[in-house]
Amino acid sequence: MALLSFWAGTFFGSAGAGGAVAVHLLLLAAVLFSPRVLDPLRLGRSGALLSGALIVAVAAGVAASPVPRAGWTVVVLLPAWLLVPGLVARAWRGDAARGLGLRGVSLVAFAAAAAALADHLVAGSPRAALPLGHHNLLAVWLLAVLPLAVVPWRQGGVGRLLAVLAGGTGLAALLATRSLAGAAGLAVLALGAALAAAPHHRRRVLAAAAVLAAVLLALFLPRLTALVAGEDPSTAARRTYWLAGLAGGAERPLLGWGAGSVPWTVPAWIESRPGINPPGEVVGDVHSTAVQLFYETGATGLALVAALAILFALRRRRELRGAPWAREISAETSVPAEGKEKEAGAAARAGLWGLAAAAVALLASSPLSVPAVVAALAVAAGATLPPAPGAGARNPSPLREVAEPWRAGAARGLLALLLAALLLPVDLAHLAYDRARTAPSSEEAARWLRRAVRRDPAFPLYPARLAVLEAAPELAREAAAGAPGVAALALLAGRLGSEHDEPWAEAALVRACRLDPLGPAA
């Protein structure tokens, strides 16, 4: 969580080759050390079938996509991401390990929230956004981790101090994002706190919730008033993205346009409005995870994701009613069984409420292309899972568990090798591109870009940058064809084509005009 949230998985860090390679290595490690490859979310046979069907549907959508390169890494990494919650559950299966893990979450949450507040209050950024790089990303991340971050309050000592620091700074940072979706998620967390409070504490919790509601109303009343009056520019812009996502998805309703395809294709359906959509706008997502899933994976993918989420919540609730795994007593501690059961149950319930709050915020945002956000959701999901069958109080060596039984270890090793082989060309091309960006001369930059194009020829940014350096219109035309919804690439192709009197230049410029009608350059 710390590595991804402060560097490799952030909005900026994951775009660099170093961050991308680090994320890939961490996910390969998750495959190697995962306690179970089949049914990693502990959903039973039906859940395992749903998970497999989702992977197949995403792969089929990417194979049928007009821009298959956009979803290549999604297909490769989706199985690895599904294994991360099980890895968290295995790491936290003993009482001591769970307590240490929860304190770690508190520490990371406090550090991230403190960085966000420092950047907002001291450096003067308009909204709290660091370390993730965008206020909506930070809001979803905080909603997922804050419930877990305050659970160490039960441990006393250092755990209680960390819980107070994480809870206080996290709440302040969440409010400082000024994210309306984050405020809706925060209301869900307040509801969860009221429902989970003991009867003798419920009056104080309700009073705190009332104070929080008053603060939220004071902060967001102008925005809500403008929204009701139809004068909120942010909502107006989101409406254009939502309508574009729905219109595009309706043309391919079964499997969608392919995972990752929104930034490459969706501008073709956006009806830009002066004063709402800026000229030269680059649309990275449609600002709603549900709409984005429909656009990229069709009704099939959206239904499978919804079914998995509902089944996950139902299974976890059923386990919490009995929770035999929560009553295990560690040989390392003399804490009474009731206290340990409460702590384990509190961690599981905190994870569920964090996921519920984040799900509400995801209705008006779509940040799942940023690894730090996905990692936060995976950790919250892992906190809700019971330990692996047969898990004892003490944690055996992870290396020993990888080797025993050897068949399972060999299967995980083969899967990790397969994923590594599929990712290697992509990562090598990315590393070459980063070398080109920092090259001291245009000749050296062109040399590195040619290497990137050879290793990953379908990624349109590499030939586009090479076309600029070498004034090569055909390369620019190939790049524009690889991402047919990106106006900047169509404009580049039209400009270079017109300079070399290419017959297709006018068509490229017309396309750039259609994709960016408010921009004057085309």
Side-chain angles (χ1 to χ4, degrees):
M1 279 187 67
L3 187 65
L4 266 64
S5 303
F6 284 89
W7 169 54
T10 63
F11 185 71
F12 301 108
S14 61
V21 171
V23 171
H24 295 167
L25 290 175
L26 285 173
L27 289 174
L28 291 175
V31 173
L32 283 173
F33 292 96
S34 174
R36 52 196 295 172
V37 175
L38 298 176
D39 190 23
L41 299 178
R42 315 278 178 85
L43 299 177
R45 181 176 300 176
S46 57
L49 291 174
L50 284 174
S51 300
L54 177 62
I55 294 173
V56 171
V58 170
V62 168
S65 172
V67 287
R69 175 59 184 86
W72 172 242
T73 52
V74 178
V75 175
V76 175
L77 295 176
L78 179 57
W81 275 118
L82 290 174
L83 298 176
V84 175
L87 190 66
V88 174
R90 195 192 74 173
W92 288 6
R93 65 187 175 185
D95 297 332
R98 185 189 305 110
L100 181 62
L102 290 169
R103 291 194 295 273
V105 172
S106 298
L107 182 60
V108 175
F110 166 61
L117 290 174
D119 182 59
H120 177 56
L121 299 176
V122 179
S125 64
R127 297 187 181 192
L130 289 183
L132 270 71
H134 192 279
H135 60 278
N136 284 331
L137 300 178
L138 180 63
V140 175
W141 188 92
L142 286 170
L143 289 171
V145 303
L146 274 183
L148 288 174
V150 299
V151 172
W153 169 269
R154 299 171 174 274
Q155 300 173 7
V158 175
R160 178 163 296 182
L161 175 62
L162 287 173
V164 170
L165 291 173
T169 57
L171 178 60
L174 186 54
L175 294 174
T177 64
R178 290 193 291 159
S179 167
L180 193 56
L186 187 57
V188 172
L189 292 185
L191 174 64
L195 293 176
H200 58 283
H201 291 313
R202 189 157 295 162
R203 184 175 298 178
R204 281 181 287 180
V205 172
L206 291 175
V211 172
L212 178 61
V215 171
L216 290 176
L217 187 62
L219 284 175
F220 292 99
L221 184 59
R223 175 87 181 272
L224 292 172
T225 303
L227 193 153
V228 172
E231 300 173 352
D232 181 50
S234 176
T235 305
R238 288 170 187 269
R239 185 173 179 272
T240 65
Y241 308 143
W242 296 338
L243 291 176
L246 292 172
E251 292 198 12
R252 297 172 68 108
L254 186 60
L255 294 175
W257 289 86
S261 62
V262 159
W264 303 47
T265 59
V266 82
W269 285 275
I270 291 180
E271 297 183 7
S272 299
R273 298 169 57 192
I276 301 298
N277 302 96
E281 182 179 35
V282 178
V283 180
D285 59 75
V286 296
H287 291 66
S288 170
T289 298
V291 176
Q292 185 138 337
L293 284 172
F294 175 62
Y295 181 91
E296 293 189 344
T297 65
T300 304
L302 180 60
L304 287 171
V305 170
L308 279 169
I310 293 171
L311 183 60
F312 185 89
L314 292 176
R315 290 290 169 89
R316 302 294 83 86
R317 279 180 59 90
R318 185 186 305 171
E319 289 163 354
L320 281 170
R321 286 172 183 166
W325 48 272
R327 292 192 290 270
E328 292 182 1
I329 303 302
S330 172
E332 307 168 43
T333 179
S334 58
V335 177
E338 182 183 359
K340 300 313 293 180
E341 180 184 355
K342 285 183 177 179
E343 181 180 298
R349 290 182 177 87
L352 283 176
W353 280 108
L355 291 173
V360 169
L362 289 175
L363 293 176
S365 62
S366 43
L368 299 185
S369 60
V370 180
V373 176
V374 186
L377 297 172
V379 170
T384 70
L385 295 178
R394 297 182 180 275
N395 294 329
S397 166
L399 292 175
R400 182 181 303 171
E401 288 197 351
V402 169
E404 298 175 357
W406 68 270
R407 292 180 183 175
R412 287 192 292 264
L414 288 174
L415 178 59
L417 283 175
L418 174 62
L419 297 184
L422 294 173
L423 291 171
L424 184 60
V426 174
D427 288 338
L428 289 176
H430 201 167
L431 289 166
Y433 175 75
D434 272 17
R435 292 290 298 271
R437 288 195 306 110
T438 58
S441 66
S442 58
E443 293 79 8
E444 185 176 348
R447 188 164 56 251
W448 283 109
L449 282 171
R450 283 192 290 270
R451 186 175 299 183
V453 171
R454 284 196 305 270
R455 289 170 174 167
D456 192 2
F459 196 74
L461 181 60
Y462 304 153
R465 292 291 292 266
L466 185 58
V468 173
L469 286 178
E470 298 185 341
E474 284 300 328
L475 278 176
R477 186 186 184 188
E478 291 175 11
V486 180
L489 296 183
L491 174 61
L492 173 64
R495 180 175 69 82
L496 292 177
S498 63
E499 290 174 358
H500 290 76
D501 296 322
E502 297 287 352
W504 46 262
E506 182 179 352
L509 288 173
V510 168
R511 181 164 187 81
C513 288
R514 287 206 312 268
L515 293 173
D516 185 15
L518 304 181

